[in-house]
Amino acid sequence: MERIVIYKSEKKALVITVSSFLIACVGYVLLQHTDKELISWTLLILSVCMLMLGIGTLFDRKPKIILTSRGITETSNIREEIEWDAIRQVDEFYYRGQYFIRLLVDRNYKPELLFPTWFYRLDRIYAQQGVKALFIRVSLLDISSIRLSQIIRRIIKSDNREEVLKSL
């Protein structure tokens, strides 16, 4: 069976890690040569948090999204395969600085899998339409949300999903 595995991006992790060192240098210089201690300590604490995020992302080699000929598996939140036939609509979603993929599935599809989202207003609208939304965050992944949604749409529309996966 052909499958595509998507991991967290090493390039983005390195950018975050290097940025944390630069912010730490700025914080240290401000602490030593100015009287702005609050700003310098804030920058130093921010750099430590960014360093932990960057190193954690760099060494995290677990697959995050798995695309197969049967369906899509997102290993962070959903953790169960969603069949391609159950997905009604796929699109990109940008909310508060983060990119998401929104999958609309039937409301009665695997009810134990579908938890209420943090978009309560959207949940009520989706309930009226008889669908449920699943959000997959793609901010730190190797692939952009636009590219991933195009791939998913292409797989959903195709009759021969194995061939589509082999061509990617």
Side-chain angles (χ1 to χ4, degrees):
M1 175 185 348
E2 191 69 30
R3 67 186 214 164
I4 297 174
V5 180
I6 300 170
Y7 298 95
K8 285 188 176 180
S9 173
E10 291 180 3
K11 180 181 175 184
K12 292 177 184 177
L14 286 174
V15 167
I16 291 171
T17 305
V18 170
S19 299
S20 71
F21 286 121
L22 294 175
I23 291 174
C25 291
V26 169
Y28 179 75
V29 167
L30 284 176
L31 187 63
Q32 296 299 319
H33 300 291
T34 65
D35 58 346
K36 299 181 180 182
E37 290 184 13
L38 180 64
I39 294 173
S40 59
W41 281 111
T42 304
L43 289 174
L44 289 172
I45 292 170
L46 175 67
S47 69
V48 168
C49 293
M50 285 176 63
L51 182 65
M52 289 189 304
L53 174 70
I55 290 174
T57 303
L58 188 62
F59 291 114
D60 186 9
R61 293 289 85 196
K62 295 181 294 188
K64 297 301 172 191
I65 298 175
I66 302 169
L67 304 171
T68 64
S69 60
R70 291 189 320 260
I72 181 172
T73 305
E74 194 264 336
T75 60
S76 298
N77 297 327
I78 302 169
R79 297 179 192 219
E80 194 170 325
E81 188 171 65
I82 300 166
E83 288 85 17
W84 296 119
D85 296 331
I87 299 173
R88 285 191 184 179
Q89 183 181 345
V90 177
D91 56 358
E92 308 86 34
F93 194 81
Y94 182 77
Y95 182 72
R96 293 190 181 181
Q98 296 199 22
Y99 291 98
F100 294 87
I101 295 292
R102 181 178 63 184
L103 304 174
L104 294 180
V105 297
D106 289 325
R107 196 130 186 102
N108 55 4
Y109 177 75
K110 295 185 181 181
E112 71 280 354
L113 170 73
L114 307 176
F115 300 107
T117 64
W118 23 265
F119 299 112
Y120 301 113
R121 292 179 182 161
L122 294 177
D123 277 345
R124 285 186 271 158
I125 293 170
Y126 296 145
Q128 292 171 353
Q129 297 174 358
V131 296
K132 181 75 176 180
L134 300 172
F135 295 97
I136 300 173
R137 192 178 87 185
V138 294
S139 294
L140 289 175
L141 299 182
D142 275 335
I143 192 167
S144 71
S145 62
I146 294 171
R147 176 77 175 127
L148 182 60
S149 65
Q150 288 172 348
I151 291 171
I152 293 172
R153 279 191 210 109
R154 192 168 157 197
I155 293 172
I156 290 172
K157 291 178 183 176
S158 174
D159 293 331
N160 192 352
R161 295 181 175 132
E162 287 280 339
E163 291 298 322
V164 173
L165 287 170
K166 285 180 184 176
S167 68
L168 296 174

